[in-house]
Amino acid sequence: MSFIADKTVYKSMGFCGVGDGANIANVDVKDGKVVRIRPVHYDELYTKEDLNYWTIKARGSQFEPGMKSLLPPLSLTYKNRIYSKNRVPYPLKRVDWDPNGERHPETRGESRYERISWDEALDIVADEIKRIHDAYGPASILCQGGGHAETKNATGTHGVQTAMFNTLGTGCVVQARNADSWEGWYWGGKYVWGNDPVGEQVQLTNVLKDIAENSDAVLHWGCDLETTPWGWGGQLSSRTAYWFTEIGIKQIFICPELNYSAAIHADKWIPVLPNTDAALQLAIAYVWMTEGTFDREYLETHTVGYDHLERYVLGEEDGVPKTPKWAEEKCHVPSYTIKALARYWAKHSVSIGHGNGGGYIRSCFSHEPARLEICLLAMQGVGKPGANQFKFLEKSLFYDPTVNPYPRSEVIPSTFACFKGALLDEQMLGKNFVPQTLIPNAIGGEKFDWYGHTMCTFGISDQLKPFQFPNPGNQPIHMVWSTGPCWQTCWNGGFRFQDVIRSEAVECYIVQHQWMENDTNFADLILPVTTKVEEYDLNNDIESGQFNMMYLEEPAIEPFCDARSDYAIVCGVAKSLERFGGIYAGLHDKITEGLTDEELLKRGYEMSGIPLDQMPWEKFKQQKLWISPTVKGWEDEPAGLIGFYEDPESHPFSTPSGKIEIYSTLIADNFPDDAERGPVPHWVEESPLHHERITSDRAQEYPYLLMSNHPRWRVHAQHDDCIWLREIQTCKVVGPDGYAYEPIWINPADAAEKGLKNGDVAELFNERGRVLGGIIVTERIMPGALYQDHGARVDTIVPGTGGLDRGGANNMICPSATTSKNCAGEVTNSFLVGIRKVDVFELAEQYAEAFGREYDPACGLVASARIEKE
């Protein structure tokens, strides 16, 4: 039986870009409904010769990109998400929030909602903005918009309301997205070898070719390449790892859990206790130092300060040699395994692969393992053939052609000329901004300070700048407007966020979103947003690694119920504000610049960098897809850091010395009293901010370290309602009450001690609160550690600190404190918890109303559970 679609359109099925996309897909529509999402076959429009099709040949085999997009399961199942029962159907107002009377902030998260018209909703938003401006000033409005959302451009999202306030001229308090996927690299790695903006190795040109030709092994350190790249670039990374095995490259995984990549690709799995990698690294250095199996000549010519590290590792600084036996007590890796790894590495060409770092790089003091990894690479001559650091995702990140280990395309087409979200540069942030990790502090009315804009696009010098909140003369925050409502399930300390968002100081809380989930359920006013399949947009695919491309995204279907795009909503608010005159006069036209939707897309296309003599706008409108060929002569470009390896003087890093600074002069000069991040990387047991080690007194009550990765079956908080995914055994565990719980992996030895078995419902707990999950007993997690993915939808039973979450959103109970004293990074991994079995039927009796909400196990939470029937 043949299938004939009424209409097929191109769409980006990447889910976390800010002006850069991935995973181009065909969306098939039949009878006005999306019925299928499938790969795009490039050979429908292009030949291999057109694309200068690349092939990497090595060891009698070859690797090539293929002529169709390599979509992951998350992209293919997105049609479930479009039609989720959790879609927000129309504008909603909290029933007990009266903007002209009692506001009842204390019932946020518990109240139900009633339908209102768009005119009423837009007028309420405009009235609140005017009232807050007059009563408190523009610095009392906080705008939230992060990168955890669909990849859109002309239709908004990612802080589109922030741009409105800047256009207005008043500004607002801007939420500055922290370097959440790169925390350790950002706050640590950059001090060792520069590599702005994020601190991972960015000179990745031809690194894949170099590994294929010269590497004996790849260390996957805290890396799940079969999971993390799904939202940012599909399956090319998976195919790469299979090819490594085919051509005889050993793959060694260092991580607490036998993750989905290690289960398939690992020649050796070395389980390490969460957030103890620094101890393992120091012990490897000890073996090399005492056995003389490192490149001392390289250290003398390419680095500064190695002698400081040597004194510390050998125990001359503190009297404690960092031996494998010392490390074994910290990280639970047997000393013989540490020695074997160190000796193998010293004798072979080894590269290190990351999916940005995962839990390895998102815990307290994460700058230390990041710095120590670079020190180890330096001790073995990083940059020599077969010895680089590389990443399995985000090819062409920030439009940098060198951030791509695969053969690069001629053009990286940009969408920024039509991007209507917030481009958070220094001008956009202005003087009133708050790091994403410190949002609860700001909403809670605290006075605090920190260093740096904390944005991953800023260079290292920015980290030396002091900032404070609030600025002198400013009032506290009284209004919050969010276009990225997943703070409590994606950042650090969700129960505390609930505390402050329910405070009397917050007089108005507005959320724009597609789904009734997470922060949305705490809003006073909810504005329904279209999904990307309902919008007319322009997008690119520059992160999948095959070929760079630009495509026109026509609407696949009509908007769901009363939904509007983020950009259209903000334009509507601007129009409503105009009735007040004064500074608000003409605001709508200032935002739109007088451009129609098509004129905006045309501007974006013509300023994208695409050669218009080859593909003018009118031709592009007909073809709808432009693909850049691979750059000619790509195979002759120098690989990775070979230039620095061969001639460091002519190819310096961006550190003060131009070399790898094992001793950081920037830290020594600017943060001389920082005990958590000194000039030379150390093992940090604990500090006044953090007591998250198994040696801590807290570990007597909370003895397990929780591993919380980028999720397997979601992209952060997205896709938790996809029916097809929830049917997979490792996606959810259906409890005896029929609720689909977020899995908790536990080792058989720990399960036996706690009396837990497969299918039980248990709670993870500490003094911050409790989070439920369904038990999976497995050898795939090491003893002493538990594993539950982050990003599950919040299902609050008891709100606030000490509360209870049924959905398994473990960010609710992670530390609120940032990476360390001078580093405003997130700590969302490797923190102490206890675990115990619960009786869900007893809980249902105790919390009858919350447990009795309408619920569908196939997709989870449903919007109708919180909406008053008309």
Side-chain angles (χ1 to χ4, degrees):
M1 177 178 175
S2 62
F3 172 86
I4 301 175
D6 297 332
K7 178 169 62 173
T8 298
V9 301
Y10 296 123
K11 288 292 176 183
S12 164
M13 285 297 149
F15 301 103
C16 211
V18 181
D20 49 352
N23 294 339
I24 184 175
N26 277 319
V27 177
D28 292 326
V29 179
K30 185 79 169 175
D31 298 327
K33 185 175 181 178
V34 173
V35 292
R36 183 171 65 177
I37 296 173
R38 57 187 172 87
V40 171
H41 289 255
Y42 310 139
D43 54 10
E44 292 176 353
L45 293 172
Y46 291 87
T47 66
K48 289 185 176 181
E49 290 71 26
D50 292 334
L51 298 179
N52 190 25
Y53 189 81
W54 56 265
T55 302
I56 300 173
K57 298 179 180 179
R59 312 186 197 197
S61 181
Q62 66 183 40
F63 186 80
E64 54 189 75
M67 286 294 283
K68 68 175 183 179
S69 55
L70 301 172
L71 299 181
L74 300 182
S75 298
L76 300 173
T77 62
Y78 182 72
K79 78 186 196 94
N80 291 164
R81 186 101 162 112
I82 301 164
Y83 298 110
S84 169
K85 293 181 180 179
N86 212 32
R87 284 291 298 267
V88 179
Y90 28 68
L92 297 168
K93 185 183 74 68
R94 194 159 59 86
V95 294
D96 53 354
W97 182 75
D98 181 359
N100 299 310
E102 292 294 328
R103 297 185 177 231
H104 294 291
E106 75 281 357
T107 58
R108 289 184 179 125
E110 300 171 275
S111 304
R112 293 170 67 83
Y113 292 86
E114 60 187 359
R115 181 178 186 175
I116 60 174
S117 70
W118 266 114
D119 286 343
E120 183 180 357
L122 296 174
D123 284 349
I124 288 174
V125 179
D127 289 346
E128 289 295 292
I129 291 171
K130 177 69 164 59
R131 184 182 67 81
I132 296 291
H133 277 176
D134 291 347
Y136 308 111
S140 285
I141 299 177
L142 167 66
C143 287
Q144 293 184 282
H148 293 182
E150 297 175 302
T151 304
K152 301 180 181 181
N153 291 298
T155 56
T157 199
H158 302 299
V160 61
Q161 78 283 33
T162 300
M164 185 195 79
F165 286 109
N166 277 5
T167 301
L168 184 62
T170 61
C172 58
V173 178
V174 179
Q175 174 178 278
R177 184 185 174 187
N178 63 302
D180 60 331
S181 289
W182 312 285
E183 295 290 15
W185 310 121
Y186 184 84
W187 298 107
K190 293 208 278 190
Y191 288 93
V192 183
W193 62 355
N195 278 295
D196 280 328
V198 299
E200 294 172 287
Q201 182 176 322
V202 295
Q203 298 97 331
L204 299 179
T205 303
N206 275 339
V207 161
L208 179 62
K209 178 175 180 288
D210 173 67
I211 291 171
E213 294 173 346
N214 300 301
S215 291
D216 299 309
V218 171
L219 293 182
H220 300 268
W221 212 315
C223 173
D224 187 355
L225 60 96
E226 290 286 351
T227 295
T228 310
W230 279 3
W232 298 267
Q235 302 281 28
L236 189 64
S237 298
S238 173
R239 293 179 61 238
T240 302
Y242 279 108
W243 190 53
F244 284 167
T245 296
E246 180 184 325
I247 62 177
I249 296 174
K250 299 297 182 186
Q251 299 187 73
I252 302 168
F253 284 76
I254 304 175
C255 44
E257 82 294 4
L258 188 72
N259 61 41
Y260 292 88
S261 301
I264 299 169
H265 303 294
D267 293 289
K268 175 70 176 179
W269 171 40
I270 300 176
V272 58
L273 206 60
N275 196 30
T276 62
D277 304 87
L280 172 61
Q281 292 160 329
L282 288 164
I284 291 171
Y286 179 90
V287 174
W288 292 346
M289 290 174 183
T290 55
E291 295 182 358
T293 52
F294 64 99
D295 193 335
R296 185 176 290 275
E297 182 180 348
Y298 180 96
L299 294 174
E300 291 173 352
T301 55
H302 291 67
T303 74
V304 294
Y306 165 74
D307 54 322
H308 292 270
L309 179 65
E310 188 173 66
R311 283 198 297 272
Y312 175 65
V313 171
L314 296 181
E316 297 170 9
E317 177 183 319
D318 58 4
V320 181
K322 310 308 178 290
T323 65
K325 273 293 182 186
W326 168 87
E328 181 177 343
E329 294 184 5
K330 306 288 185 185
C331 67
H332 290 193
V333 178
S335 59
Y336 60 81
T337 300
I338 298 174
K339 294 175 186 176
L341 173 62
R343 289 165 181 163
Y344 178 89
W345 191 347
K347 294 178 180 178
H348 295 83
S349 293
V350 176
S351 286
I352 298 180
H354 286 293
N356 280 337
Y360 167 69
I361 221 67
R362 296 168 66 146
S363 191
C364 52
F365 323 128
S366 59
H367 36 67
E368 299 306 277
R371 293 200 289 167
L372 284 166
E373 179 177 312
I374 301 164
C375 292
L376 294 183
L377 285 166
M379 292 180 73
Q380 296 300 334
V382 65
K384 71 183 180 183
N388 282 279
Q389 182 198 77
F390 72 105
K391 59 196 299 180
F392 282 103
L393 72 164
E394 297 170 335
K395 299 86 179 175
S396 305
L397 181 69
F398 303 133
Y399 295 86
D400 185 340
T402 74
V403 188
N404 187 355
Y406 300 88
R408 63 184 179 90
S409 297
E410 286 183 357
V411 177
I412 306 177
S414 167
T415 58
F416 284 142
C418 67
F419 183 71
K420 284 297 182 179
L423 300 175
L424 297 181
D425 56 15
E426 193 161 357
Q427 181 178 0
M428 173 67 80
L429 288 171
K431 66 178 181 179
N432 293 317
F433 73 95
V434 179
Q436 199 150 12
T437 52
L438 297 173
I439 286 295
N441 306 59
I443 297 175
E446 297 180 24
K447 294 182 179 180
F448 54 95
D449 51 43
W450 70 93
Y451 286 94
H453 285 89
T454 71
M455 293 286 295
C456 53
T457 52
F458 284 75
I460 193 169
S461 61
D462 184 72
Q463 293 187 24
L464 312 180
K465 299 175 182 177
F467 293 95
Q468 63 178 342
F469 186 87
N471 281 302
N474 287 345
Q475 294 287 320
I477 288 170
H478 291 288
M479 175 178 174
V480 179
W481 185 359
S482 174
T483 56
C486 63
W487 199 98
Q488 58 189 298
T489 193
C490 287
W491 273 270
N492 48 310
F495 276 131
R496 183 167 177 241
F497 177 86
Q498 291 183 355
D499 287 334
V500 297
I501 207 64
R502 287 158 56 92
S503 71
E504 290 185 358
V506 181
E507 299 172 9
C508 177
Y509 183 25
I510 299 164
V511 163
Q512 296 179 194
H513 199 44
Q514 295 93 335
W515 298 279
M516 200 83 168
E517 60 189 11
N518 304 320
D519 306 355
T520 310
N521 291 321
F522 287 74
D524 300 321
L525 194 65
I526 303 171
L527 307 178
V529 177
T530 45
T531 65
K532 63 184 297 87
V533 299
E534 297 150 38
E535 298 172 349
Y536 185 38
D537 208 349
L538 183 73
N539 223 313
N540 58 17
D541 186 332
I542 62 172
E543 294 197 354
S544 296
Q546 297 169 285
F547 307 97
N548 292 340
M549 60 195 74
M550 179 79 84
Y551 40 98
L552 194 63
E553 292 192 316
E554 296 176 309
I557 56 176
E558 292 296 315
F560 175 80
C561 290
D562 273 359
R564 299 182 180 182
S565 75
D566 286 283
Y567 179 51
I569 293 170
V570 171
C571 288
V573 172
K575 198 68 177 175
S576 182
L577 279 167
E578 289 182 346
R579 61 195 157 94
F580 299 118
I583 63 170
Y584 307 105
L587 180 58
H588 177 273
D589 288 346
K590 290 176 185 176
I591 292 174
T592 64
E593 304 170 82
L595 299 174
T596 65
D597 290 347
E598 182 169 326
E599 288 169 341
L600 179 59
L601 298 186
K602 179 180 179 183
R603 183 180 72 179
Y605 178 79
E606 292 185 342
M607 297 179 67
S608 66
I610 291 173
L612 299 179
D613 56 336
Q614 297 178 22
M615 181 75 75
W617 168 250
E618 292 301 324
K619 182 178 178 181
F620 176 71
K621 276 179 60 181
Q622 297 299 315
Q623 184 164 306
K624 300 179 179 61
L625 171 64
W626 176 86
I627 304 179
S628 174
T630 308
V631 69
K632 292 181 174 62
W634 65 267
E635 58 268 47
D636 299 322
E637 294 182 333
L641 296 175
I642 189 66
F644 177 78
Y645 175 77
E646 293 178 343
D647 187 357
E649 302 298 329
S650 299
H651 299 85
F653 282 128
S654 57
T655 56
S657 65
K659 298 182 178 182
I660 295 173
E661 295 202 354
I662 296 174
Y663 178 95
S664 171
T665 54
L666 278 177
I667 292 177
D669 292 343
N670 292 279
F671 305 102
D673 301 320
D674 190 336
E676 298 161 307
R677 187 187 58 169
V680 177
H682 281 47
W683 168 262
V684 184
E685 189 70 35
E686 60 181 9
S687 74
L689 281 182
H690 292 292
H691 304 274
E692 303 292 343
R693 302 289 191 194
I694 56 174
T695 54
S696 167
D697 290 341
R698 291 180 64 245
Q700 298 301 312
E701 190 171 357
Y702 317 120
Y704 298 97
L705 284 164
L706 180 64
M707 185 70 186
S708 181
N709 283 349
H710 282 95
R712 172 66 169 176
W713 305 115
R714 294 185 295 274
V715 180
H716 295 300
Q718 301 176 78
H719 294 82
D720 204 22
D721 53 358
C722 287
I723 296 171
W724 294 344
L725 298 174
R726 291 170 71 93
E727 293 174 348
I728 298 170
Q729 186 176 11
T730 56
C731 182
K732 297 292 179 181
V733 174
V734 178
D737 54 350
Y739 188 97
Y741 289 91
E742 186 68 15
I744 302 170
W745 291 9
I746 185 170
N747 185 272
D750 294 327
E753 182 181 341
K754 293 296 180 180
L756 293 168
K757 63 182 185 303
N758 283 320
D760 284 345
V761 179
E763 64 179 17
L764 303 172
F765 65 92
N766 54 32
E767 71 275 23
R768 303 169 197 125
R770 299 174 290 158
V771 171
L772 301 186
I775 291 296
I776 296 178
V777 180
T778 176
E779 297 277 3
R780 290 177 62 181
I781 184 70
M782 67 184 297
L786 303 169
Y787 170 40
Q788 185 184 59
D789 282 337
H790 106 106
R793 278 180 299 176
V794 174
D795 188 359
T796 300
I797 305 302
V798 179
T801 300
L804 172 64
D805 178 74
R806 192 182 186 188
N810 53 63
N811 284 58
M812 306 299 290
I813 59 171
C814 69
S816 293
T818 57
T819 304
S820 63
K821 174 184 176 183
N822 294 315
C823 305
E826 68 174 68
V827 180
T828 51
N829 209 298
S830 309
F831 52 91
L832 290 173
V833 298
I835 187 170
R836 58 193 168 215
K837 184 178 178 179
V838 299
D839 186 324
V840 291
F841 298 109
E842 287 184 4
L843 287 174
E845 289 183 11
Q846 186 177 0
Y847 305 107
E849 183 177 351
F851 269 76
R853 284 194 291 256
E854 183 183 355
Y855 176 82
D856 184 346
C859 64
L861 302 173
V862 294
S864 56
R866 294 182 178 269
I867 300 174
E868 295 283 3
K869 294 192 170 42
E870 298 180 65

